[in-house]
Amino acid sequence: MLRIEGLTIGYAGRVVAENLCHNFGAGTLTLLTGRNGSGKSTLLRTLAGMQPPLSPPESIMLAGKPLGNYAPRELARLRAVVQTRYESVNLTVQQVVEMGRAPYRGMARALRPSDVAAVDKALADCQLTDYAQRSFRLLSDGERQRVMIAAALAQEAPLLLLDEPSAFLDYEARQQLFTLLRHLADEGRCIICATHDLDMARPVADDEMAL
């Protein structure tokens, strides 16, 4: 699904990590591990196409094609990203999750039956069905994190990138999260998750990449 070879990541004038190599297969859950500042978030942003690599385009191959060769909407149908930073928007939980369908319908078009089904499944998978009409702004940090994960799931992308998804979650919610990620990998998705929550994540993971 995703292959990196000789990948260098960082910013203009500053290399964060170099010569990274790894294969991320469909149906697998891979953990990104390392101390703070080791480059986990930078790697995820680079793999998501949110910042360019410092190495040639061929150092990141997604579905057999250089990552940088995909048009934005085409890329959005292939990969979804969950981050821990988000704006406190004045929308319901369902409306936030519906934003995950933008790559298929645009921001203004009405939901089709396939969109509704994807949103309903994402809400159910994240145990948010009863929260659908609640205001996103009034949720706790942990609840908001679950909503952002649901929005990414609604995107139905085969590649799912998560940056510290268990942040703000209590013990039970963390357990549910990693059980869900394992289930999604078993369904065939390629999941890459940066986390410090190793005691809970390692038992359900297939692979680990240390930075």
Side-chain angles (χ1 to χ4, degrees), residues 42-64:
T42 303
L43 176 58
L44 281 178
R45 287 194 298 270
T46 305
L47 296 180
M50 298 166 67
Q51 71 180 66
L54 301 182
S55 47
E58 294 77 15
S59 59
I60 308 177
M61 300 292 290
L62 174 60

Side-chain angles (χ1 to χ4, degrees), residues 60-130:
I60 308 177
M61 300 292 290
L62 174 60
K65 181 177 171 180
L67 180 71
N69 288 6
Y70 287 98
R73 179 166 288 193
E74 187 181 15
L75 180 60
R77 294 184 178 188
L78 287 173
R79 67 94 181 96
V81 184
V82 177
Q83 296 178 299
T84 55
R85 293 176 184 151
Y86 37 75
E87 295 184 9
S88 181
V89 293
N90 188 25
L91 297 171
T92 66
V93 167
Q94 180 165 327
Q95 288 171 326
V96 173
V97 177
E98 288 174 355
M99 292 171 66
R101 300 303 297 169
Y104 304 93
R105 67 183 183 94
M107 296 301 293
R109 291 172 52 190
L111 292 173
R112 299 166 298 182
S114 58
D115 298 318
V116 173
V119 170
D120 288 347
K121 183 178 187 303
L123 288 168
D125 284 344
C126 293
Q127 298 185 329
L128 290 168
T129 301
D130 292 340

Side-chain angles (χ1 to χ4, degrees), residues 181-197:
L181 295 183
R182 178 69 262 163
H183 173 70
L184 294 170
D186 290 340
E187 286 185 338
R189 296 198 198 198
C190 175
I191 301 176
I192 305 173
C193 176
T195 184
H196 287 98
D197 202 353

